[in-house]
Amino acid sequence: MEDANQTEMIHFHFRPFSKLSEVQMLIFVAFLIMYLVSISGNFSISIIIWIHHSLHTPMYFFLANLAALEICYSSTIAPLTLASILSPERTIISLPGCGTQMFFFIFLGSADCILLALMAYDRFVAICHPLHYTHIMSRWLCAQMTLGSLVLGFTLAVQLTVLIFRLPFCSSKEISLFYCDVLPVMRLACADTRVHEATLFVVGVTVLTIPFLLIILSCVFIVAAILKICSAEGRHKAFSTCSSHLTVVLLQYGCGSLIYLCPSSRYSPERGQVVSVVYTFITPVLNPLIYSMRNRELKDALKRAMMRFLLPQT
């Protein structure tokens, strides 16, 4: 009972970005703008795909799910981060609250990475096996694969979060980041964490390395198939679709690898702070912009929706 009470009394607080209130306010405004843009952009993509029947294809089904994941992913981090920037002294988080945030961060981030690999597989089938695309990428298979990414992300998140929060934490301490990430929290434990670091590496390989290698392999086959296309317009459309996806992949997997696939002894809180800003705030903003700007069908659907909204009905 005493241990349980001690656990409940442990609280963490986040390290401020700067000791200057003016800098903190500028960071708050920048983060708030990025959060609102990411929410509105990803929400718009989800709604546009849902209301336009011409976009009810496997590629846009995965894209709508990716946008929904990005909304949830951003909302897991941004609100508490914004609150801690405004009042760093008052914003504290309990041990259960920190565990909850970490769980959803791992769950949604893992599902996001796996879904990007599924989108690459969809493009591989569409370009390399166009005649069998409709038969292979059925609605049932797409739903199963999407559900599988969520189940795998959920399973990894439960195991890793439970493992980390079974560690003893001696007292209330400062997390060297703006949210409850795995490595900063693990460093606050008063016990040997080698097993936990090894588990984190296995999760990182499962979520980052394996999907990334599969994406690269699919890109090799896709490029080979594109070079055989006689039509210049066909090659341009295929390259445009794949390049936008590859840009998102490099942003997501590159930032994640810098943190979770490097030895924990080389972890730098300063580098972690910068890289974490990229994949928690900047990437969710860029994803809808990259896909909407590089995809003609989605761009046309967005334009039609904007025209209907702006122009009065006659």
Side-chain angles (χ1 to χ4, degrees), residues 77-99:
I77 305 297
L80 189 59
T81 299
L82 293 170
S84 67
I85 293 174
L86 277 182
S87 56
E89 297 84 5
R90 296 182 180 181
T91 304
I92 59 174
I93 186 168
S94 65
L95 197 64
C98 190

Side-chain angles (χ1 to χ4, degrees), residues 181-224:
D181 198 5
V182 181
L183 284 172
V185 172
M186 198 186 302
R187 287 193 159 200
L188 301 180
C190 304
D192 184 11
T193 60
R194 284 178 293 183
V195 174
H196 305 75
E197 292 169 8
T199 304
L200 176 61
F201 181 78
V202 172
V203 171
V205 170
T206 303
V207 172
L208 295 170
T209 306
I210 296 176
F212 182 72
L213 292 176
L214 293 175
I215 291 172
I216 294 300
L217 183 62
S218 68
C219 286
V220 171
F221 286 108
I222 287 172
V223 170

Side-chain angles (χ1 to χ4, degrees), residues 69-222:
L69 276 178
E70 293 285 5
I71 293 172
C72 299
Y73 178 77
S74 298
S75 300
T76 300
I77 305 297
L80 189 59
T81 299
L82 293 170
S84 67
I85 293 174
L86 277 182
S87 56
E89 297 84 5
R90 296 182 180 181
T91 304
I92 59 174
I93 186 168
S94 65
L95 197 64
C98 190
T100 301
Q101 187 185 51
M102 184 184 293
F103 163 76
F104 281 105
F105 170 73
I106 300 170
F107 166 41
L108 297 169
S110 299
D112 197 308
C113 291
I114 297 167
L115 190 59
L116 287 173
L118 297 180
M119 293 174 70
Y121 174 73
D122 170 71
R123 291 299 83 204
F124 161 74
V125 176
I127 295 174
C128 299
H129 304 283
L131 298 179
H132 303 284
Y133 176 71
T134 305
H135 176 71
I136 296 175
M137 299 302 295
S138 63
R139 290 186 177 181
W140 176 240
L141 179 63
C142 293
Q144 281 184 313
M145 291 195 297
T146 303
L147 180 61
S149 68
L150 294 173
V151 170
L152 181 56
F154 180 87
T155 304
L156 295 174
V158 168
Q159 293 176 344
L160 190 56
T161 305
V162 170
L163 185 65
I164 290 174
F165 282 89
R166 290 180 64 183
L167 287 167
F169 296 93
C170 302
S171 62
S172 304
K173 293 186 178 180
E174 180 184 78
I175 297 176
S176 62
L177 204 60
F178 53 91
Y179 65 97
C180 290
D181 198 5
V182 181
L183 284 172
V185 172
M186 198 186 302
R187 287 193 159 200
L188 301 180
C190 304
D192 184 11
T193 60
R194 284 178 293 183
V195 174
H196 305 75
E197 292 169 8
T199 304
L200 176 61
F201 181 78
V202 172
V203 171
V205 170
T206 303
V207 172
L208 295 170
T209 306
I210 296 176
F212 182 72
L213 292 176
L214 293 175
I215 291 172
I216 294 300
L217 183 62
S218 68
C219 286
V220 171
F221 286 108
I222 287 172

Side-chain angles (χ1 to χ4, degrees), residues 22-44:
E22 296 82 1
V23 176
Q24 285 284 94
M25 186 54 64
L26 287 175
I27 293 173
F28 172 82
V29 172
F31 279 14
L32 179 61
I33 292 173
M34 285 190 287
Y35 176 58
L36 294 177
V37 171
S38 68
I39 293 296
S40 58
N42 285 295
F43 182 75
S44 298

